[in-house]
Amino acid sequence: MRVNHTTNIEQAVDRIVQPYVSKRKHAVLSVGILRGGERLVYGFGDLRPFGAVSFDNLIYEIGSITKVFTTSLLALLIAEGALRSDDSLGKFEPTLPGRHPVTLAHLAAHTSGLPGFPVFKAWRNRFDKTQHRDPYCHFTPEEAISYLRNVPPGKVGRKFRYSNEGTGILGRLLATWLGTDYETAITERLCVPLHLPDTGITLTLEQQARMVPGYAGKDVQRPETLLRDYAGAGALRSTLNDQLTFLSAHLGERGMSGLVDQPTNLCASQQDDWRRTGMDYRRTRQVRLA
């Protein structure tokens, strides 16, 4: 008996998504799957507010997927020989010693020593209204560098702690190294070569009309998330179509070998027997769709 795998995938996607969208009347979801050279796209929600647009061309805040763009930029610069994964932060940050133990790879792999959730600092920030801090970040860039200045060398590279500030600093350093800002660096080095026309931070009026708003809880609309200091941690907007193209590049289908080769060489922390993190990639157990 011949099995229709596309039907099985569609049923699996519907089974996963329906419990979520059934409780959220404003949810607009776009789901994409690469299968060989084929793209499968599934959409859920009301497209009428966005005009004549398909689900794969809606624009979303992609949040921390931005981090993979940041570390992909690092991978390309390493592949070109411009940078090394073990380059010290002291090479880029004049307030740190030249041989500071934290490297670019540590920032990329969340093993720099920056804390994931500093409870006391988060509490203090609630009473400090004088400093701007990006959403989901507890340190200003100056505070983060100051913290890293005092990290004991023995704690660097030893423990995984997810850090928006760490990847944000990496994005800032790479953009400065290239003599530009983060969005321009990503556009020129990744989006233009890979033909990702709808990936960026600054949107045109036409793109804004395709932007899906975010919600808190079930149906409370929230303003856009804006990251002023740590764009490399989560500032990008993109479409499902662009993301599938980007994924194809990482799977070696777009001729971007620097994206494919470098991440596997920078796995820096063993989480357990099934997940490793390196260059901001997380390898997880496969989910059976059929």
Side-chain angles (χ1 to χ4, degrees):
M1 181 179 69
R2 186 174 181 178
V3 178
N4 188 330
H5 293 290
T6 301
T7 300
N8 290 344
I9 292 173
E10 183 174 354
Q11 291 173 347
V13 170
D14 193 69
R15 185 172 64 250
I16 293 169
V17 173
Q18 281 301 333
Y20 180 87
V21 297
S22 64
K23 299 176 183 178
R24 295 165 175 83
K25 63 182 180 180
H26 295 300
V28 178
L29 272 63
S30 301
V31 180
I33 297 173
L34 289 178
R35 190 182 66 173
E38 183 182 13
R39 294 187 179 197
L40 305 177
V41 174
Y42 305 96
F44 301 83
D46 186 3
L47 282 179
R48 287 175 297 177
F50 307 99
V53 62
S54 56
F55 280 100
D56 55 343
N57 285 313
L58 290 172
I59 293 180
Y60 295 87
E61 295 181 23
I62 63 172
S64 285
I65 297 176
T66 301
K67 294 180 173 67
V68 186
F69 281 78
T70 301
T71 51
S72 296
L73 177 59
L74 173 60
L76 285 178
L77 293 174
I78 292 171
E80 293 170 1
L83 296 174
R84 292 170 52 94
S85 62
D86 59 358
D87 278 339
S88 167
L89 262 62
K91 178 178 179 178
F92 311 94
E93 175 53 54
T95 65
L96 295 177
R99 295 187 178 181
H100 192 274
V102 175
T103 67
L104 299 179
H106 291 134
L107 292 177
H110 301 279
T111 58
S112 68
L114 282 168
F117 184 78
V119 177
F120 183 64
K121 183 70 166 64
W123 180 81
R124 286 182 59 188
N125 287 350
R126 297 181 63 182
F127 302 96
D128 180 9
K129 305 301 182 183
T130 63
Q131 292 281 354
H132 165 83
R133 294 181 180 86
D134 279 349
Y136 312 109
C137 297
H138 303 288
F139 297 90
T140 66
E142 295 75 21
E143 290 172 337
I145 293 297
S146 177
Y147 188 98
L148 288 172
R149 187 180 299 117
N150 299 302
V151 169
K155 289 189 176 182
V156 176
R158 295 183 62 86
K159 190 170 183 178
F160 171 87
R161 290 188 176 92
Y162 189 85
S163 173
N164 286 317
E165 289 89 343
T167 319
I169 289 173
L170 179 61
R172 291 167 63 96
L173 293 179
L174 296 179
T176 301
W177 176 261
L178 292 169
T180 186
D181 60 274
Y182 178 80
E183 182 175 21
T184 301
I186 292 297
T187 298
E188 293 181 350
R189 302 308 298 269
L190 292 175
C191 296
V192 171
L194 290 176
H195 305 291
L196 310 178
D198 286 320
T199 300
I201 299 173
T202 306
L203 302 181
T204 66
L205 290 176
E206 185 275 331
Q207 289 172 324
Q208 290 176 24
R210 291 187 278 132
M211 178 82 174
V212 178
Y215 288 85
K218 292 183 178 180
D219 296 307
V220 180
Q221 188 169 332
R222 295 294 301 273
E224 292 183 42
T225 301
L226 302 175
L227 282 79
R228 189 175 76 188
D229 295 324
Y230 295 123
L236 289 177
R237 286 90 169 99
S238 189
T239 62
L240 179 61
N241 191 40
D242 277 9
Q243 289 302 292
L244 290 175
T245 300
F246 187 58
L247 178 57
S248 295
H250 281 276
L251 295 175
E253 298 176 14
R254 301 283 297 197
M256 299 290 285
S257 60
L259 296 182
V260 180
D261 299 335
Q262 289 296 329
T264 55
N265 295 331
L266 287 173
C267 291
S269 62
Q270 179 75 49
Q271 297 307 297
D272 49 35
D273 63 349
W274 62 271
R275 184 177 69 184
R276 288 176 70 82
T277 302
M279 291 294 287
D280 222 276
Y281 287 76
R282 295 184 180 185
R283 301 175 181 180
T284 60
R285 291 189 182 96
Q286 287 186 329
V287 178
R288 289 185 60 85
L289 294 179

